[in-house]
Amino acid sequence: MNDLSITIRPEAPGDAQAIERLHERTFGPGRFVLSAYRIREHVDHLLDVSFTARIGTLLVGSVRQLPVMIGETPALLLGPLTVEPPFRSRGIGRMLMERALKDARDKGHRIVLLVGDEPYYSRVGFKLVPKGRVTMPGPVDAARVLVFELVDGAFEGVSGTVAPDWSKARE
C-alpha cells in the first residue's frame, strides 16, 4: 500500500455528496460551530481552486477555497482540507494544498488565509498572522490564523475582519 497512484483534479459539482460524507467522518457534527464554517454558510467555495484526491475512483481527500474579504482586501479562505484517515501521512494533504495554492496563484488570487496548525501548514509556506491584524468571526485562537502570500508582499498593510465576499454570496 506504499505505492499509491494519487490523482489530484479540480472538484466537480458531482463530488459534493462524497466530500460532505468525508467531512462528516473526519470532522463530525461539531464542525458547524467553527468560525470558518460560519463564513461558509453564505458563500460557496470556488470549484476552480478546490480539489479532490483519488486513488482510482475512490475519493480519499479534498481541499476547498472560498472567497472572503479581510477588511477591504479580497482573499481566499482555505479549508476544509481533509484526507480519509487510512490514507493520512502519505503526502495527500500536501499535494492537495500545493495544487490549490498553485492554481489560485495562476488565477490571479493574491492571499490565502486559513485556521489551522502552524507546524503542519508552515511546511508549505503558511505563516502566523501577526496578532491583531486579522479578526475572525466568533471565537478563534489567534495562534491558528495563518496566511500564505501568493504574490510577494500581498499581505503588507492588510488588516481587518474576515467576512464572506458578499459579491459572491448565494442568491
Side-chain angles (χ1 to χ4, degrees), residues 48-127:
D48 65 338
V49 291
S50 298
F51 296 88
T52 61
R54 294 180 184 273
I55 298 171
T57 60
L58 178 65
L59 183 123
V60 296
S62 167
V63 64
R64 288 177 164 173
Q65 297 189 91
L66 69 142
V68 296
M69 299 295 287
I70 305 169
E72 299 296 316
T73 305
L76 294 173
L77 181 65
L78 187 141
L81 167 68
T82 186
V83 175
E84 287 281 8
F87 298 97
R88 291 184 181 159
S89 300
R90 298 175 187 274
I92 296 170
R94 184 180 191 129
M95 290 169 45
L96 283 163
M97 274 191 296
E98 288 175 348
R99 176 69 186 273
L101 295 170
K102 177 197 172 300
D103 279 38
R105 179 183 292 118
D106 291 350
K107 289 177 175 29
H109 297 281
R110 300 174 49 84
I111 299 170
V112 178
L113 197 68
L114 66 76
V115 179
D117 297 325
E118 185 188 15
Y120 178 77
Y121 291 100
S122 66
R123 294 184 284 180
V124 295
F126 279 91
K127 295 181 176 142

Coordinates of all heavy atoms in Angstrom, one line a residue, residues 48-127:
D48 N -12.9 26.1 -9.2 CA -11.7 26.1 -10.0 C -10.4 26.2 -9.1 O -9.3 26.0 -9.7 CB -11.7 27.3 -11.0 CG -11.7 28.6 -10.4 OD1 -12.1 28.8 -9.2 OD2 -11.4 29.6 -11.0
V49 N -10.6 26.4 -7.8 CA -9.4 26.3 -6.9 C -9.6 25.4 -5.8 O -9.0 25.5 -4.7 CB -9.0 27.7 -6.5 CG1 -8.4 28.6 -7.6 CG2 -10.1 28.5 -5.8
S50 N -10.6 24.5 -5.9 CA -10.9 23.4 -4.9 C -10.6 22.1 -5.6 O -10.9 21.9 -6.8 CB -12.3 23.5 -4.5 OG -12.5 24.8 -3.8
F51 N -10.1 21.1 -4.9 CA -9.6 19.9 -5.5 C -9.9 18.6 -4.7 O -10.1 18.7 -3.5 CB -8.0 20.0 -5.7 CG -7.6 21.1 -6.6 CD1 -7.4 22.4 -6.2 CD2 -7.6 20.8 -8.0 CE1 -7.1 23.4 -7.0 CE2 -7.3 21.8 -8.8 CZ -7.0 23.1 -8.4
T52 N -9.9 17.5 -5.4 CA -10.1 16.2 -4.8 C -8.9 15.4 -5.1 O -8.2 15.6 -6.1 CB -11.3 15.5 -5.3 OG1 -11.2 15.3 -6.8 CG2 -12.6 16.3 -5.1
A53 N -8.7 14.4 -4.2 CA -7.6 13.4 -4.4 C -8.3 12.1 -4.5 O -9.2 11.8 -3.7 CB -6.7 13.4 -3.2
R54 N -7.9 11.3 -5.5 CA -8.5 10.0 -5.7 C -7.4 8.9 -5.9 O -6.3 9.2 -6.4 CB -9.4 10.0 -6.9 CG -10.6 10.9 -6.7 CD -11.5 10.9 -8.0 NE -12.6 11.8 -7.8 CZ -13.8 11.5 -7.3 NH1 -14.0 10.3 -6.9 NH2 -14.7 12.4 -7.2
I55 N -7.8 7.7 -5.5 CA -7.0 6.5 -5.8 C -8.0 5.7 -6.6 O -9.0 5.2 -6.1 CB -6.5 5.8 -4.5 CG1 -5.6 6.7 -3.7 CG2 -5.8 4.5 -5.0 CD1 -5.2 6.1 -2.4
G56 N -7.7 5.6 -7.9 CA -8.7 5.1 -8.8 C -9.9 5.9 -8.8 O -9.9 7.1 -9.0
T57 N -11.1 5.3 -8.5 CA -12.3 6.1 -8.4 C -12.7 6.5 -6.9 O -13.6 7.2 -6.7 CB -13.5 5.3 -8.9 OG1 -13.6 4.1 -8.2 CG2 -13.3 5.0 -10.4
L58 N -11.9 6.0 -6.0 CA -12.1 6.3 -4.5 C -11.6 7.7 -4.1 O -10.5 8.0 -4.3 CB -11.4 5.2 -3.7 CG -11.5 5.4 -2.2 CD1 -13.0 5.2 -1.7 CD2 -10.6 4.4 -1.5
L59 N -12.6 8.5 -3.7 CA -12.2 9.8 -3.2 C -11.6 9.7 -1.8 O -12.2 9.1 -0.9 CB -13.5 10.7 -3.1 CG -13.2 12.1 -2.6 CD1 -13.7 13.1 -3.6 CD2 -13.7 12.4 -1.2
V60 N -10.3 10.1 -1.7 CA -9.6 10.0 -0.4 C -9.2 11.3 0.2 O -8.7 11.3 1.3 CB -8.3 9.1 -0.6 CG1 -8.7 7.7 -1.0 CG2 -7.3 9.7 -1.6
G61 N -9.5 12.4 -0.5 CA -9.2 13.7 0.1 C -9.8 14.9 -0.7 O -10.2 14.7 -1.8
S62 N -9.9 16.0 0.0 CA -10.5 17.2 -0.6 C -9.9 18.4 0.1 O -9.6 18.4 1.3 CB -12.0 17.1 -0.3 OG -12.6 18.4 -0.6
V63 N -9.8 19.5 -0.7 CA -9.5 20.8 -0.2 C -10.4 21.8 -0.9 O -10.6 21.7 -2.2 CB -8.0 21.2 -0.4 CG1 -7.6 21.3 -1.8 CG2 -7.7 22.5 0.4
R64 N -10.9 22.7 -0.2 CA -11.8 23.8 -0.8 C -11.2 25.2 -0.4 O -10.6 25.3 0.6 CB -13.2 23.6 -0.3 CG -13.9 22.4 -0.8 CD -15.3 22.2 -0.3 NE -16.0 21.3 -1.1 CZ -17.2 20.9 -0.8 NH1 -17.8 21.2 0.4 NH2 -17.9 20.0 -1.6
Q65 N -11.6 26.1 -1.3 CA -11.2 27.5 -1.0 C -12.4 28.4 -1.4 O -13.1 28.1 -2.4 CB -10.0 27.9 -1.9 CG -8.7 27.1 -1.5 CD -7.5 27.7 -2.2 OE1 -6.8 28.5 -1.6 NE2 -7.2 27.2 -3.4
L66 N -12.7 29.4 -0.5 CA -13.8 30.2 -0.8 C -13.4 31.7 -0.7 O -12.4 32.0 -0.1 CB -15.0 30.0 0.1 CG -14.8 30.3 1.6 CD1 -16.1 30.9 2.1 CD2 -14.5 29.1 2.3
P67 N -14.1 32.5 -1.4 CA -13.8 34.0 -1.5 C -14.2 34.7 -0.2 O -15.3 34.5 0.3 CB -14.5 34.5 -2.7 CG -15.7 33.6 -2.8 CD -15.3 32.2 -2.3
V68 N -13.2 35.4 0.4 CA -13.5 36.2 1.6 C -12.9 37.6 1.4 O -12.2 37.8 0.4 CB -12.9 35.5 2.9 CG1 -13.6 34.2 3.2 CG2 -11.4 35.4 2.8
M69 N -13.2 38.4 2.3 CA -12.6 39.8 2.4 C -11.9 39.9 3.8 O -12.5 39.4 4.8 CB -13.7 40.9 2.3 CG -14.4 40.9 1.0 SD -13.5 41.2 -0.5 CE -13.2 42.9 -0.3
I70 N -10.7 40.4 3.8 CA -10.0 40.8 5.0 C -10.1 42.3 5.0 O -9.3 42.9 4.3 CB -8.6 40.3 5.0 CG1 -8.4 38.8 4.8 CG2 -7.9 40.7 6.4 CD1 -7.0 38.3 4.5
G71 N -11.0 42.8 5.8 CA -11.3 44.2 5.7 C -11.8 44.5 4.3 O -12.8 44.0 3.9
E72 N -11.0 45.3 3.5 CA -11.4 45.7 2.2 C -10.6 44.9 1.1 O -10.7 45.1 -0.1 CB -11.1 47.2 1.9 CG -12.0 48.1 2.8 CD -13.5 47.9 2.6 OE1 -13.9 47.9 1.4 OE2 -14.2 47.8 3.6
T73 N -9.8 43.9 1.6 CA -8.9 43.2 0.7 C -9.5 41.8 0.4 O -9.7 41.0 1.3 CB -7.5 43.0 1.3 OG1 -7.0 44.3 1.7 CG2 -6.5 42.3 0.4
P74 N -9.6 41.5 -0.9 CA -10.1 40.1 -1.3 C -9.0 39.1 -1.0 O -7.8 39.3 -1.1 CB -10.3 40.2 -2.8 CG -9.7 41.4 -3.3 CD -9.4 42.3 -2.1
A75 N -9.5 37.9 -0.6 CA -8.6 36.8 -0.3 C -9.3 35.5 -0.4 O -10.5 35.5 -0.7 CB -8.0 36.9 1.2
L76 N -8.6 34.4 -0.3 CA -9.3 33.1 -0.2 C -9.2 32.5 1.2 O -8.2 32.8 1.8 CB -8.6 32.1 -1.2 CG -8.8 32.4 -2.7 CD1 -7.9 31.5 -3.5 CD2 -10.2 32.4 -3.1
L77 N -10.1 31.8 1.6 CA -10.1 31.0 2.8 C -9.9 29.5 2.5 O -10.8 29.0 1.8 CB -11.3 31.3 3.7 CG -11.4 30.5 5.0 CD1 -10.3 31.1 6.0 CD2 -12.7 30.7 5.7
L78 N -8.8 28.9 2.8 CA -8.6 27.5 2.5 C -9.2 26.7 3.6 O -9.0 26.9 4.8 CB -7.0 27.3 2.4 CG -6.7 25.9 1.9 CD1 -5.5 26.0 1.0 CD2 -6.4 24.9 3.1
G79 N -9.9 25.7 3.2 CA -10.5 24.7 4.1 C -11.9 24.4 3.8 O -12.6 25.2 3.1
P80 N -12.4 23.3 4.2 CA -11.6 22.3 4.9 C -10.7 21.6 4.0 O -10.9 21.4 2.8 CB -12.6 21.4 5.6 CG -13.9 21.6 4.7 CD -13.8 23.0 4.1
L81 N -9.6 21.1 4.6 CA -8.6 20.2 4.0 C -8.8 18.9 4.8 O -8.6 18.9 6.0 CB -7.2 20.7 4.1 CG -6.1 19.7 3.8 CD1 -6.1 19.3 2.3 CD2 -4.7 20.2 4.2
T82 N -9.1 17.9 4.1 CA -9.3 16.6 4.8 C -8.9 15.4 3.9 O -9.0 15.4 2.7 CB -10.8 16.4 5.2 OG1 -10.9 15.2 6.0 CG2 -11.7 16.3 4.1
V83 N -8.4 14.4 4.6 CA -7.9 13.1 4.0 C -8.5 12.0 4.8 O -8.5 12.0 6.0 CB -6.4 13.1 3.9 CG1 -5.9 11.7 3.4 CG2 -5.8 14.2 3.1
E84 N -9.0 11.0 4.1 CA -9.5 9.8 4.8 C -8.4 9.3 5.8 O -7.3 9.2 5.4 CB -9.9 8.7 3.8 CG -11.1 8.9 3.0 CD -12.4 8.7 3.7 OE1 -12.4 8.4 4.9 OE2 -13.4 8.7 3.1
P85 N -8.8 9.0 7.0 CA -7.8 8.5 8.0 C -6.9 7.4 7.5 O -5.7 7.5 7.8 CB -8.7 8.1 9.2 CG -9.9 9.0 9.1 CD -10.2 9.1 7.6
P86 N -7.3 6.4 6.8 CA -6.4 5.3 6.4 C -5.3 5.8 5.5 O -4.3 5.1 5.3 CB -7.2 4.2 5.8 CG -8.6 4.5 6.2 CD -8.7 6.0 6.5
F87 N -5.5 7.0 4.8 CA -4.6 7.5 3.8 C -3.8 8.7 4.3 O -3.1 9.3 3.5 CB -5.4 7.8 2.5 CG -6.1 6.6 1.9 CD1 -7.4 6.3 2.2 CD2 -5.3 5.7 1.2 CE1 -8.0 5.2 1.7 CE2 -5.9 4.6 0.6 CZ -7.3 4.3 0.9
R88 N -3.9 9.0 5.5 CA -3.1 10.1 6.1 C -1.6 9.8 6.2 O -1.2 8.6 6.1 CB -3.6 10.5 7.4 CG -5.0 11.2 7.3 CD -5.6 11.7 8.6 NE -6.9 12.2 8.4 CZ -7.8 12.4 9.3 NH1 -7.5 12.1 10.5 NH2 -9.0 12.9 9.0
S89 N -0.8 10.8 6.3 CA 0.7 10.6 6.4 C 1.3 10.0 5.2 O 2.3 9.3 5.2 CB 1.0 9.8 7.7 OG 0.6 10.4 8.8
R90 N 0.7 10.3 4.0 CA 1.2 9.8 2.8 C 1.4 11.0 1.8 O 1.6 10.7 0.6 CB 0.2 8.8 2.1 CG 0.1 7.5 3.0 CD -1.0 6.6 2.4 NE -1.3 5.5 3.3 CZ -0.6 4.4 3.3 NH1 0.4 4.2 2.5 NH2 -1.0 3.4 4.1
G91 N 1.3 12.2 2.3 CA 1.5 13.4 1.5 C 0.3 13.8 0.7 O 0.5 14.8 -0.1
I92 N -0.8 13.2 0.9 CA -2.0 13.6 0.1 C -2.5 15.0 0.4 O -2.8 15.8 -0.5 CB -3.1 12.6 0.3 CG1 -2.7 11.2 -0.3 CG2 -4.4 13.1 -0.4 CD1 -3.6 10.1 0.0
G93 N -2.5 15.4 1.7 CA -2.9 16.7 2.1 C -2.0 17.8 1.5 O -2.4 18.8 1.0
R94 N -0.7 17.5 1.5 CA 0.3 18.4 1.0 C 0.1 18.6 -0.5 O 0.1 19.7 -1.1 CB 1.7 18.0 1.3 CG 2.7 18.9 0.8 CD 4.1 18.5 1.1 NE 5.0 19.6 0.9 CZ 5.9 20.0 1.7 NH1 6.1 19.4 2.9 NH2 6.7 21.0 1.4
M95 N -0.2 17.5 -1.2 CA -0.4 17.5 -2.7 C -1.6 18.4 -3.0 O -1.6 19.2 -3.9 CB -0.6 16.1 -3.2 CG 0.7 15.3 -3.2 SD 0.5 13.5 -3.6 CE -0.6 13.5 -5.0
L96 N -2.7 18.2 -2.2 CA -3.9 19.0 -2.4 C -3.6 20.5 -2.2 O -4.0 21.3 -3.0 CB -5.0 18.5 -1.4 CG -5.7 17.2 -1.8 CD1 -6.5 16.6 -0.6 CD2 -6.6 17.4 -3.0
M97 N -2.9 20.8 -1.1 CA -2.6 22.2 -0.8 C -1.8 22.8 -1.8 O -2.0 23.9 -2.3 CB -1.9 22.3 0.6 CG -2.8 22.4 1.7 SD -2.0 22.9 3.2 CE -0.9 21.5 3.4
E98 N -0.7 22.1 -2.3 CA 0.2 22.7 -3.3 C -0.5 22.9 -4.6 O -0.3 24.0 -5.2 CB 1.4 21.7 -3.5 CG 2.4 21.8 -2.3 CD 3.5 20.8 -2.4 OE1 3.4 19.9 -3.3 OE2 4.4 20.9 -1.6
R99 N -1.4 22.0 -5.0 CA -2.2 22.3 -6.2 C -3.2 23.4 -6.0 O -3.3 24.3 -6.9 CB -3.0 21.0 -6.6 CG -3.9 21.1 -7.8 CD -3.1 21.3 -9.1 NE -4.0 21.5 -10.2 CZ -4.6 20.6 -10.9 NH1 -4.4 19.3 -10.7 NH2 -5.4 21.0 -11.9
A100 N -3.8 23.5 -4.9 CA -4.8 24.6 -4.6 C -4.1 25.9 -4.6 O -4.6 26.9 -5.2 CB -5.5 24.4 -3.3
L101 N -2.9 26.0 -4.0 CA -2.2 27.3 -4.0 C -1.6 27.7 -5.4 O -1.7 28.8 -5.8 CB -1.0 27.2 -3.0 CG -1.5 27.1 -1.5 CD1 -0.3 26.7 -0.6 CD2 -2.2 28.3 -1.0
K102 N -1.1 26.7 -6.1 CA -0.6 27.0 -7.4 C -1.7 27.5 -8.3 O -1.5 28.5 -9.0 CB 0.0 25.7 -8.0 CG 0.5 25.9 -9.5 CD 0.7 24.6 -10.2 CE 1.0 24.7 -11.6 NZ 0.0 25.4 -12.4
D103 N -2.8 26.8 -8.3 CA -3.9 27.2 -9.2 C -4.5 28.6 -8.8 O -4.9 29.4 -9.7 CB -5.0 26.2 -9.3 CG -4.6 25.0 -10.3 OD1 -3.4 24.7 -10.4 OD2 -5.5 24.6 -11.0
A104 N -4.6 28.8 -7.5 CA -5.1 30.1 -7.0 C -4.1 31.2 -7.5 O -4.6 32.3 -8.0 CB -5.2 30.1 -5.5
R105 N -2.8 31.0 -7.4 CA -1.8 32.0 -7.9 C -2.0 32.2 -9.4 O -2.1 33.3 -9.9 CB -0.4 31.5 -7.6 CG 0.6 32.5 -8.2 CD 2.1 32.0 -7.9 NE 2.4 32.0 -6.5 CZ 2.7 30.9 -5.8 NH1 2.7 29.7 -6.4 NH2 3.0 31.0 -4.5
D106 N -2.1 31.1 -10.2 CA -2.3 31.2 -11.6 C -3.6 31.9 -12.0 O -3.6 32.5 -13.1 CB -2.3 29.8 -12.2 CG -1.0 29.0 -12.2 OD1 0.0 29.7 -11.8 OD2 -1.0 27.8 -12.4
K107 N -4.6 31.9 -11.2 CA -5.9 32.6 -11.5 C -5.9 34.0 -10.9 O -7.0 34.6 -11.0 CB -7.0 31.7 -11.0 CG -7.2 30.5 -11.8 CD -8.3 29.6 -11.3 CE -8.6 28.4 -12.1 NZ -7.6 27.8 -12.9
G108 N -4.8 34.5 -10.4 CA -4.7 35.9 -10.0 C -5.0 36.2 -8.6 O -5.1 37.4 -8.2
H109 N -5.3 35.2 -7.8 CA -5.5 35.5 -6.4 C -4.2 35.8 -5.7 O -3.1 35.5 -6.2 CB -6.1 34.2 -5.7 CG -7.5 33.9 -6.2 ND1 -8.6 34.5 -5.9 CD2 -7.9 32.9 -7.1 CE1 -9.6 34.0 -6.5 NE2 -9.2 33.0 -7.3
R110 N -4.3 36.6 -4.6 CA -3.0 37.1 -4.0 C -2.8 36.6 -2.6 O -1.6 36.6 -2.2 CB -3.1 38.6 -4.0 CG -3.2 39.2 -5.4 CD -3.5 40.7 -5.5 NE -2.6 41.5 -4.7 CZ -1.3 41.9 -5.0 NH1 -0.9 41.6 -6.2 NH2 -0.6 42.6 -4.2
I111 N -3.8 36.3 -1.8 CA -3.7 36.0 -0.4 C -4.6 34.8 -0.1 O -5.7 34.7 -0.5 CB -4.1 37.1 0.5 CG1 -3.2 38.4 0.2 CG2 -4.1 36.7 2.0 CD1 -3.8 39.6 0.9
V112 N -4.1 33.8 0.7 CA -4.8 32.7 1.2 C -4.7 32.7 2.7 O -3.6 32.8 3.2 CB -4.4 31.4 0.6 CG1 -5.2 30.2 1.2 CG2 -4.5 31.4 -0.9
L113 N -5.9 32.6 3.3 CA -5.9 32.6 4.8 C -6.5 31.2 5.2 O -7.2 30.6 4.5 CB -6.9 33.7 5.2 CG -6.9 34.2 6.7 CD1 -5.6 34.9 7.0 CD2 -8.1 35.1 6.9
L114 N -6.1 30.8 6.4 CA -6.7 29.6 7.0 C -6.6 29.6 8.5 O -5.8 30.3 9.1 CB -6.1 28.3 6.4 CG -4.7 27.9 6.7 CD1 -4.5 27.3 8.1 CD2 -4.2 26.9 5.7
V115 N -7.4 28.7 9.1 CA -7.3 28.5 10.5 C -6.8 27.0 10.7 O -7.5 26.1 10.3 CB -8.7 28.7 11.2 CG1 -8.6 28.4 12.7 CG2 -9.2 30.1 11.0
G116 N -5.6 26.9 11.3 CA -5.1 25.5 11.4 C -3.8 25.5 12.2 O -3.4 26.5 12.8
D117 N -3.2 24.3 12.2 CA -2.0 24.1 13.0 C -0.8 24.6 12.2 O -0.4 24.1 11.2 CB -1.8 22.6 13.3 CG -3.0 22.1 14.2 OD1 -3.5 22.8 15.0 OD2 -3.4 20.9 14.0
E118 N -0.1 25.6 12.8 CA 1.1 26.1 12.1 C 2.2 25.1 11.8 O 2.7 25.1 10.7 CB 1.7 27.3 13.0 CG 2.8 27.9 12.2 CD 3.6 28.9 13.1 OE1 3.4 29.0 14.3 OE2 4.4 29.7 12.4
P119 N 2.5 24.2 12.7 CA 3.5 23.2 12.4 C 3.2 22.4 11.1 O 4.1 22.1 10.3 CB 3.6 22.3 13.6 CG 3.1 23.1 14.7 CD 2.0 24.0 14.1
Y120 N 1.9 22.1 10.8 CA 1.6 21.4 9.6 C 1.6 22.3 8.4 O 2.2 22.0 7.4 CB 0.2 20.7 9.8 CG -0.3 20.0 8.6 CD1 0.2 18.7 8.3 CD2 -1.2 20.6 7.7 CE1 -0.2 18.0 7.2 CE2 -1.7 19.9 6.6 CZ -1.2 18.6 6.3 OH -1.6 18.0 5.2
Y121 N 0.9 23.4 8.5 CA 0.8 24.3 7.3 C 2.0 25.1 7.0 O 2.2 25.5 5.8 CB -0.5 25.2 7.5 CG -1.8 24.4 7.4 CD1 -2.4 24.1 8.6 CD2 -2.3 24.0 6.2 CE1 -3.6 23.4 8.6 CE2 -3.5 23.3 6.2 CZ -4.1 23.0 7.3 OH -5.3 22.3 7.3
S122 N 2.9 25.3 7.9 CA 4.1 26.0 7.6 C 5.0 25.2 6.7 O 5.8 25.8 6.0 CB 4.9 26.4 8.9 OG 5.3 25.2 9.6
R123 N 4.8 24.0 6.6 CA 5.6 23.1 5.6 C 5.4 23.5 4.2 O 6.3 23.2 3.3 CB 5.3 21.6 5.8 CG 5.8 21.2 7.2 CD 5.6 19.7 7.4 NE 4.1 19.4 7.6 CZ 3.6 18.2 7.7 NH1 4.4 17.1 7.7 NH2 2.4 18.0 7.9
V124 N 4.3 24.2 3.9 CA 4.0 24.6 2.5 C 4.2 26.1 2.4 O 3.9 26.7 1.3 CB 2.7 24.1 1.9 CG1 2.7 22.6 1.8 CG2 1.5 24.7 2.7
G125 N 4.5 26.8 3.5 CA 4.8 28.2 3.5 C 3.8 29.1 4.2 O 3.9 30.4 4.1
F126 N 2.8 28.6 4.9 CA 1.9 29.4 5.6 C 2.6 30.0 6.8 O 3.4 29.3 7.4 CB 0.6 28.6 6.1 CG -0.4 28.5 5.1 CD1 -0.4 27.4 4.2 CD2 -1.4 29.5 4.9 CE1 -1.4 27.3 3.2 CE2 -2.4 29.4 4.0 CZ -2.4 28.3 3.1
K127 N 2.2 31.2 7.2 CA 2.9 31.9 8.3 C 1.8 32.4 9.3 O 0.7 32.8 8.8 CB 3.7 33.1 7.8 CG 4.9 32.6 7.0 CD 5.7 33.8 6.5 CE 6.9 33.2 5.8 NZ 7.3 33.9 4.7

